[in-house]
Structure formats: structure tokens, C-alpha cells
Amino acid sequence: MFDLFPEKGQTDLHIKYDAASGLKAIVAIDSTHLGPALGGCRFIEYDSTELAIADAVRLAQGMTYKAALANVPQGGGKAVIIKSPNTTNREAIFNAFGEFVEELNGRYITAIDCGTSAADMDIVKYHTQHATSTTTSGDPSPYTATGVFSGIQSAVRFKLGRKELTDVHVAIQGLGKVGSRLASMLYKAGAQLTVTDIDEKKCQAVAADTGANVITPSDIYSLPCDVFTPCGLGAVINDTTLKQLKCQIVAGSANNQLAKACHGNILHEKNILYAPDFIINAGGLIYASLNHNGQNTQSIFKRTCQIGKTLDEVFSRAKFNNQATVDVAIELAEKKLLH
Ligand code: NAD
């Protein structure tokens, strides 16, 4: 099992089984160096417990980098609740999970992620203060979209030498909470949009609002465009899609866009500028952290707009050193963690 842990650092793993509710939860804490670990809680099905642990560990490490580069006072952590195909007692599961988070004594702060909602976090919050993204603390997605917008502006300035997004062709994959908001922001900035989602209704709604061209999910990778913006699932940059991409920039909100670490280097070799996901999608974390620490929405918004500046630095260093942007970003994050 220890093969699942990163080569560097110290990760601790907490596992809880509660027979009464059926809760099977894993919390991975990758770092508390800069503050309590903060990261979402996934509630999805896994093919094996080992895969669930691997997911929690990998995502927790990503949160450490994300928090370090976003300059928020948090470490990296993540929770996974293994969902069974016949789960019916959701409330009992989140009650038990809240007790579990409380037992961790503030080393881990939980939030929403795939398969969890603000209503679930309300249940968790009943048992512990160490929970955010409840119905009262609000949805972080608008901040994530704002950060991605700022990141796309940075990438377009750097790669295409264009100060404005007017007529820049952006292809958005996934029109959920982040992708649909981002589409609207890009439309207002004058970008030309092509969009896709496995949910046809979401495509039609965004097309009606923005005049976007709609294509099928399988056609998005080979579409000639300036910016490919993954806002659906992870691992969309992989051995198959790398052969298809005809974009100049990859910049989107999805977590873990690179299926393998080496895919960042292949993007670099192909001269495609990659905005590392754990920098560009940090708006949600910035919101969750600063909101949890009592800051107002205006200052949170201002901090989110600085994501582009962090990317400016990463892009410049990567060019200067002829390195993949993701490698530069990891180096910068690790430097911050040394202090
Ligand atoms: P969401 O679930 O609201 O939306 C995802 C959308 O992607 C859905 O509409 C879904 O139908 C679509 N989709 C799934 N597979 C697809 C495919 N193969 N092709 C096209 N569309 C597909 O999620 P969200 O909150 O909008 O988040 C989007 C991504 O950004 C996720 O990877 C998430 O982990 C990441 N992220 C989100 C936030 C946030 O604040 N919401 C923060 C950081 C990272």
C-alpha cells in the first residue's frame, strides 16, 4: 500500500468504517505545513479500496501545491467516501462523516467535490466547525470560473501576444457549474466559442446565451482552436488525445487534466502552452479558505484575479529554462513549502 504514497513528504491516511451508516471514508492529509489541510470530499463509486486510497492521496498532494501557489494558509488534504451502487442513507453517511472530520481535530477541513453538495456539508457542519462550502458559505464555482478566466487571459497574452480575448477561439469541454459561467465570461470578452457536454441540454442553453458552436464530445480534441478548456473530468490529456490536439493552449478548470506526469512534457514538446490545473483552478480553494477565515467577498475576488499573475511567472520561467510549465509550477510550490 505504501507504493501509493508520493516519493517526497509525509502523508497520513485516516480510514473510518461505520457499520450503522455504511460509511467507508478515507482522509489523506498530504501537508499541514502552511496551515490545516483543506480539500473537498468525493462521494463516488470506486472499483476497489486501493483505487479510492490512491485517488485521495493523489488529490491531497495536488491540494498542497494548489494552496502553496495560491498563497492561502492551508495544507493539502482530500476525503473520499466510497459510494455503493445501492446507497440510500445519504444523511446517515454524512452524519458519520462529520463525526469523523471532528475526530481529526482541525488538521483537515472538508468541502464539496464530485458527488457532494452544499446540503451534505450542512450535515457535516452540524458535527464539526471544520467544514466549508455549506449552503450558507456559498458555492465556490463562480470564483473558480473567475480564476480560469484570468488564467486564459494570461496564457493568451503569453502565447498569442494578444492583450484582448476578442476573436480568440476557445473550445470548452464540460458546461457544468464552472464551464457554463466561464462561457458567459468569455462571450462577454468577445471570444469565439465552441462547446461540448455529454448533456445536450447544457449545450443548447449555453449556445442560446452565447451563440457558441456546439460539437459532439468526441470531436473536441481534434478541433483547431486557440485554447482548449477542459472543464469536465480529469485525465483528458492522455496518450490518445495528445495525438489529436490542434490547440495552442490548454487552460481549464478540471482537476488532474494530465493522465500521467509525462504528458506535461509532451505538451511542452508539442509547443502547446499548458496552464497547470492546480494553479488555474485555485479560485474555489481561495474562496473556501478565505471565506472560512472570515474575509469578505471583495478581497477574495481580488485574490482570485491574481491567478493570472502566478501563471505569468510560471510561463516566463518555463520559457527561460525550456521546461514544461507543470514542472516549473511544482518546483515553485515545493520551494514555498521549504520555508
Ligand atoms: P460539474 O459537475 O458541475 O460539471 C462538469 C460537466 O462536465 C457536466 O456538465 C458534465 O456533463 C460534463 N462532462 C462530463 N464528462 C464529459 C465529457 N466526457 N465530455 C464533455 N462534457 C463532460 O463540475 P464543475 O463544478 O463545473 O467542475 C468542473 C471541473 O472543474 C471538475 O473537474 C472539477 O473537479 C473542477 N473544479 C471545480 C471547482 C469548482 O469550484 N466547482 C474547483 C476546482 C476544480
Side-chain angles (χ1 to χ4, degrees):
M1 187 177 88
F2 290 102
D3 294 348
L4 300 173
F5 290 87
E7 282 170 22
K8 294 181 198 162
Q10 296 175 341
T11 306
D12 55 76
L13 201 62
H14 304 261
I15 295 180
K16 174 70 88 185
Y17 173 62
D18 175 57
S21 62
L23 174 80
K24 289 180 185 167
I26 296 152
V27 172
I29 299 179
D30 179 74
S31 168
T32 54
H33 186 68
L34 300 174
L38 194 161
C41 169
R42 291 200 160 174
F43 184 42
I44 56 177
E45 291 176 30
Y46 287 91
D47 289 341
S48 70
T49 304
E50 194 175 59
L51 284 174
I53 292 172
D55 204 24
V57 166
R58 191 178 48 110
L59 291 163
Q61 188 187 33
M63 292 308 293
T64 300
Y65 293 150
K66 198 184 287 198
L69 291 171
N71 288 315
V72 291
Q74 312 294 162
K78 207 84 183 182
V80 155
I81 303 178
I82 300 174
K83 193 175 178 185
S84 121
N86 34 25
T87 298
T88 48
N89 52 346
R90 195 174 181 110
E91 200 176 329
I93 284 177
F94 283 94
N95 273 310
F97 179 66
E99 288 172 5
F100 178 30
V101 172
E102 177 61 12
E103 284 164 16
L104 298 174
N105 240 337
R107 291 191 74 226
Y108 167 68
I109 301 166
T110 197
I112 56 170
D113 200 275
C114 300
T116 49
S117 66
D120 297 325
M121 288 304 129
D122 286 350
I123 300 173
V124 174
K125 188 94 187 199
Y126 183 74
H127 301 275
T128 182
Q129 283 309 302
H130 310 301
T132 173
S133 42
T134 57
T135 47
T136 24
S137 58
D139 179 8
S141 308
Y143 293 85
T144 305
T146 300
V148 175
F149 182 79
S150 160
I152 290 176
Q153 285 177 313
S154 160
V156 164
R157 265 193 315 268
F158 189 84
K159 180 77 181 169
L160 309 179
R162 287 162 73 169
K163 283 189 189 150
E164 308 289 335
L165 295 179
T166 318
D167 293 331
V168 171
H169 184 187
V170 184
I172 307 179
Q173 177 188 51
L175 301 169
K177 294 186 286 297
V178 178
S180 59
R181 277 191 182 86
L182 183 62
S184 153
M185 294 170 83
L186 290 164
Y187 166 68
K188 285 179 191 145
Q192 180 201 333
L193 296 178
T194 300
V195 299
T196 193
D197 196 292
I198 46 172
D199 183 337
E200 181 62 22
K201 279 191 200 135
K202 289 184 180 174
C203 292
Q204 294 317 327
V206 169
D209 285 348
T210 65
N213 183 33
V214 175
I215 57 171
T216 60
S218 58
D219 286 340
I220 193 102
Y221 300 106
S222 56
L223 179 81
C225 61
D226 296 310
V227 188
F228 170 48
T229 298
C231 293
L233 299 178
V236 291
I237 306 296
N238 54 46
D239 291 333
T240 309
T241 60
L242 273 163
K243 290 184 195 130
Q244 301 174 309
L245 289 180
K246 290 192 185 68
C247 58
Q248 305 215 52
I249 294 165
V250 175
S253 75
N255 277 315
N256 298 322
Q257 289 168 37
L258 306 176
K260 294 187 210 149
C262 67
H263 293 140
N265 295 86
I266 301 175
L267 282 173
H268 175 65
E269 283 156 20
K270 287 174 79 81
N271 203 19
I272 296 175
L273 183 69
Y274 173 57
D277 47 13
F278 55 84
I279 299 179
I280 196 170
N281 72 13
L285 169 69
I286 293 170
Y287 177 75
S289 169
L290 301 187
N291 178 267
H292 194 68
N293 290 305
Q295 293 207 21
N296 65 35
T297 47
Q298 224 177 348
S299 68
I300 301 175
F301 180 77
K302 229 168 144 185
R303 285 283 295 275
T304 306
C305 292
Q306 282 168 5
I307 284 175
K309 284 198 180 138
T310 309
L311 285 169
D312 290 345
E313 184 186 347
V314 168
F315 295 153
S316 300
R317 280 187 189 227
K319 188 173 183 181
F320 187 77
N321 298 331
N322 191 22
Q323 255 183 307
T325 52
V326 65
D327 292 344
V328 171
I330 290 172
E331 276 174 24
L332 278 176
E334 286 181 347
K335 244 185 224 168
K336 289 196 178 212
L337 291 163
L338 285 177
H339 297 299

